[in-house]
Amino acid sequence: MKRYFIDFEANGAPLQEIISVGIVSEDKEFSVYTLVRPSHPLDKYIQKITHLTDEEFAGAPSPHAVFSFLYNALKRDIGSDFIWDKCEFYVYGDGDVRFIQETMKMITDPEIYGFLAGLALNIKDFSRDTTRYFQTPRSLLYSVNYFRKDDIAEEKHHAFYDALLLLELYQNLPKKGTIGATINQIVSIDPKTNKKVIYKDIKKAAKTLAKDMSNTVKLENVQKKIKNAIINQSRYCKLRWERYAG
């Protein structure tokens, strides 16, 4: 199964059509970045955050040309005309589906319209995974920087840059059901609740974790670290435990 990570930048109201596309594969052997010529002048706010101007779109390809190229490039990369059962597409946030739907209004070619419709139906919103992990919604930038030790990422509103950040986050976020993800959910418990109730839950979870680790870590050490993490809710404690558990 091939995985692709996508980001779109879009124009402002009234028509939030796509104005740039960034996509990169999990192995980074496939990548595309292009501007997309909008049907309306750029919204001033969009110009401000993307640092793009109307002049830069004078020679940009049309939505039809961009998505026709992208569809055919994906088919070549996957090696099949039937792409939906052979790959996964990831975005961050629910805005991208809306951007695709707005752009579809500009498409008259049935094949390209069908490709965009399929993309809108099949893309996976990875922000749901980070919400489960942090127990609250977090931005792409916050989530990426949470796992970085240095070289903090900056907000650029650039489609290809954000697609690369999304790939980085996908690779760094502990997957659902792994030890790292389980630990983060445990230490997110409110320390103001009854400690005895918490400790019973933690003791039971610690036994499961020790078993998952194939007994490479002593049960009492697992319990001690989790209990200390709950008592001390500092970010350092959480990060220290995640590195230990991972």
Side-chain angles (χ1 to χ4, degrees):
M1 181 71 72
K2 298 207 68 168
R3 297 181 179 89
Y4 299 89
F5 300 85
I6 307 175
D7 185 70
F8 300 118
E9 295 297 327
N11 205 354
L15 185 62
Q16 293 182 303
E17 56 191 329
I18 294 169
I19 60 172
S20 66
V21 178
I23 178 171
V24 60
S25 61
E26 187 175 12
D27 58 13
K28 295 187 177 180
E29 292 184 2
F30 178 94
S31 63
V32 172
Y33 172 70
T34 181
L35 297 179
V36 185
R37 188 171 68 244
S39 61
H40 293 76
L42 289 187
D43 178 83
K44 291 188 181 300
Y45 175 72
I46 299 301
Q47 291 187 46
K48 181 179 179 181
I49 64 173
T50 63
H51 303 288
L52 294 170
T53 63
D54 287 323
E55 289 72 23
E56 293 178 77
F57 288 88
S62 67
H64 177 275
V66 168
F67 290 105
S68 176
F69 168 81
L70 183 59
Y71 181 40
N72 288 300
L74 285 168
K75 288 193 292 185
R76 288 193 299 270
D77 190 56
I78 295 166
S80 172
D81 287 346
F82 302 98
I83 65 175
W84 306 119
D85 60 344
K86 297 181 182 297
C87 61
E88 295 178 337
F89 297 94
Y90 289 88
V91 297
Y92 200 87
D94 58 5
D96 295 275
V97 171
R98 184 171 65 255
F99 301 155
I100 293 172
Q101 291 170 339
E102 290 293 331
T103 302
M104 287 170 64
K105 297 175 182 178
M106 307 292 107
I107 303 297
T108 57
D109 185 303
E111 184 179 39
I112 307 308
Y113 188 94
F115 165 62
L116 287 175
L119 189 60
L121 289 171
N122 286 279
I123 56 177
K124 301 176 183 295
D125 179 5
F126 197 65
S127 70
R128 296 177 182 177
D129 293 72
T130 56
T131 296
R132 279 194 295 266
Y133 182 80
F134 291 112
Q135 302 294 295
T136 188
R138 295 293 187 184
S139 68
L140 173 61
L141 193 66
Y142 174 95
S143 302
V144 168
N145 286 331
Y146 182 85
F147 295 102
R148 284 194 179 190
K149 295 180 180 179
D150 48 34
D151 188 26
I152 301 302
E154 299 176 356
E155 190 168 42
K156 295 186 177 181
H157 291 286
H158 185 283
F160 189 66
Y161 177 79
D162 287 346
L164 288 172
L165 289 184
L166 178 53
L167 169 57
E168 178 183 336
L169 178 60
Y170 176 86
Q171 293 172 333
N172 289 336
L173 185 76
K175 300 300 183 285
K176 185 179 180 181
T178 64
I179 291 171
T182 305
I183 293 301
N184 193 74
Q185 291 167 13
I186 291 171
V187 299
S188 294
I189 297 173
D190 187 350
K192 295 181 180 180
T193 57
N194 190 297
K195 286 188 174 64
K196 290 183 179 179
V197 174
I198 289 177
Y199 187 71
K200 286 182 179 179
D201 293 340
I202 294 307
K203 188 175 182 179
K204 181 180 178 181
K207 289 181 180 179
T208 303
L209 290 171
K211 183 178 180 181
D212 290 344
M213 293 178 191
S214 301
N215 297 318
T216 56
V217 180
K218 291 184 178 180
L219 175 60
E220 56 266 29
N221 289 341
V222 176
Q223 291 175 334
K224 182 179 178 181
K225 283 186 176 290
I226 298 177
K227 185 178 179 182
N228 289 341
I230 288 178
I231 294 171
N232 178 7
Q233 288 282 301
S234 70
R235 184 170 183 267
Y236 165 74
C237 189
K238 292 182 185 180
L239 291 175
R240 181 186 65 187
W241 171 246
E242 284 163 14
R243 287 198 294 271
Y244 170 85

